[in-house]
Amino acid sequence: MRVWRVTEPGPLASNPVAPGSAPVPEPEIDELLVRVLACGVCRTDLHVTMGDLPVHREHVIPGHEVIGEVVAGGSATSTPIGSRVGISWLRRTCRTCRFCITGAENLCQESEYTGWDSDGGFAEFATVPEDFAVALPEQYSDLEAAPLLCAGVSAYRALNLADLPEGGVVGIYGFGGSGHIAAQLALARGARVHVMTRRTDAMELAIELGASSAQGVADPPPEPLDAALLFPPVGDLMLPALQALVPGGILVLPTIYLPDIPAMDYHRDLFWEKQIRSVTANTLDDAREFMDYVAANPLRVTANKYSLDEADKALRDLKGGRFTGAAVLVP
């Protein structure tokens, strides 16, 4: 099968990913083998590729927003051949620790992740433990469904952690794959949404989707925020986001990597019981609840199609902010 592997993590100018071939993987006893129909390109794939995250698997195949058709299964699986399933970031947990048994398996200290600990979807075939395969809403195309598996469910968990009051005000920093989904989820809950982004076309999309305002990525919103979601991995944006919060407001960081967190002025930036919350992957319940929600409440997913042969270009375009919404590879 055709694949892309991380050859040597580093800057994109050093060509850290390369195309190649590999045997089609054999599913373990509890795993499904899927033919990849589409795979989203997530900012976490950039972090894996560029070495922002430590290497967990040498020469890993990135990709964890995978839409696939089941073509085989291990002896302990029961999913019918031909089923369409999703593969997301959280691949496997111990299932026995105190976090796993209380429904917080995203905090399991033995958790494994697709495209980091094991090979992912920048390929023609991939495997997934059956218990972690995600059932997908039928009305979304493969191209539209792929970003839901990480960008979407991360936005859903982040918004839940934001604890927005009824009729509250939320600021969304960054308006890519997750941001444009988070805005729609917040609007559906009756919130007013203000978007901070560096791209003028993203500002236009935000207003088109119903945001009350859209301005520069570090600009103050037109009113104080009950909560802010900071999607770009830019530590310097924490300060304007915190300063925009009302007393008791919450800043949520739905990112796995955040460099250069700036020094804070305690009274200006964090006093008045403001809170900072990180997002660590998602739980299985998050994914199931989110997919049920978007099945009943359709979202507009902005997806930019790339061929599998263009995986390196998709990563460069994501890094350079050359599109709104999400990038999706289609073999």
Side-chain angles (χ1 to χ4, degrees):
M1 66 175 181
R2 292 179 296 146
V3 304
W4 285 81
R5 291 191 183 277
V6 178
T7 53
E8 184 66 36
L12 294 184
S14 69
N15 298 316
V17 293
S21 62
V24 175
E26 292 285 338
E28 300 290 338
I29 185 174
D30 64 339
E31 292 182 344
L32 306 172
L33 173 66
V34 306
R35 179 172 64 89
V36 176
L37 304 174
C39 181
V41 181
C42 178
R43 193 165 291 275
T44 301
D45 298 318
L46 268 180
H47 297 319
V48 170
T49 299
M50 297 177 64
D52 298 329
L53 298 176
V55 174
H56 279 196
R57 179 184 177 92
E58 293 285 346
H59 307 307
V60 71
I61 299 171
H64 58 274
E65 295 179 329
V66 184
I67 306 300
E69 177 188 7
V70 176
V71 295
S75 59
T77 63
S78 59
T79 303
I81 302 301
S83 300
R84 190 175 77 144
V85 300
I87 304 175
S88 62
W89 176 237
L90 185 65
R91 177 181 177 84
R92 193 188 294 275
T93 64
C94 76
R95 311 306 295 272
T96 59
C97 71
R98 67 188 183 97
F99 299 113
C100 287
I101 63 178
T102 58
E105 65 275 2
N106 61 315
L107 303 180
C108 174
Q109 298 301 287
E110 296 181 27
S111 54
E112 298 176 8
Y113 299 93
T114 310
W116 191 23
D117 295 289
S118 60
D119 288 334
F122 284 24
E124 293 181 300
F125 292 88
T127 61
V128 59
E130 184 178 42
D131 287 348
F132 287 81
V134 180
L136 300 167
E138 294 181 359
Q139 66 264 48
Y140 294 88
S141 68
D142 299 333
L143 194 71
E144 295 168 326
L148 298 177
L149 288 161
C150 185
V153 72
S154 294
Y156 179 77
R157 182 169 182 83
L159 199 58
N160 288 343
L161 289 175
D163 285 343
L164 272 177
E166 185 175 351
V169 182
V170 62
I172 296 178
Y173 289 79
F175 208 65
S178 285
H180 87 290
I181 292 175
Q184 295 176 72
L185 295 174
L187 289 164
R189 298 184 185 189
R192 291 195 303 283
V193 174
H194 300 289
V195 171
M196 278 58 73
T197 179
R198 62 179 178 172
R199 293 179 56 91
T200 55
D201 54 353
M203 294 180 192
E204 292 170 359
L205 177 60
I207 297 301
E208 185 179 336
L209 291 175
S212 297
S213 76
Q215 45 271 313
V217 71
D219 292 342
E223 63 179 319
L225 307 174
D226 294 299
L229 312 183
L230 176 56
F231 290 105
V234 181
D236 286 344
L237 291 178
M238 287 183 63
L239 297 187
L242 284 167
Q243 291 163 21
L245 294 175
V246 300
I250 297 173
L251 171 61
V252 183
L253 307 173
T255 178
I256 193 173
Y257 173 75
L258 188 65
D260 303 325
I261 296 176
M264 298 180 189
D265 180 296
Y266 176 69
H267 194 275
R268 180 194 65 193
D269 301 329
L270 201 56
F271 195 55
W272 298 111
E273 298 190 356
K274 296 178 182 179
Q275 301 179 50
I276 301 173
R277 296 181 177 177
S278 66
V279 176
T280 301
N282 61 269
T283 67
L284 293 173
D285 281 345
D286 287 333
R288 292 165 183 151
E289 290 171 7
F290 176 65
M291 293 303 170
D292 286 344
Y293 177 84
V294 298
N297 303 274
L299 297 179
R300 174 178 165 183
V301 181
T302 301
N304 301 271
K305 182 179 177 180
Y306 292 77
S307 72
L308 179 59
D309 294 333
E310 297 177 302
D312 56 342
K313 182 178 187 301
L315 287 167
R316 289 195 302 270
D317 288 352
L318 174 60
K319 173 67 173 176
R322 298 190 183 100
F323 54 77
T324 58
V328 180
L329 304 179
V330 178

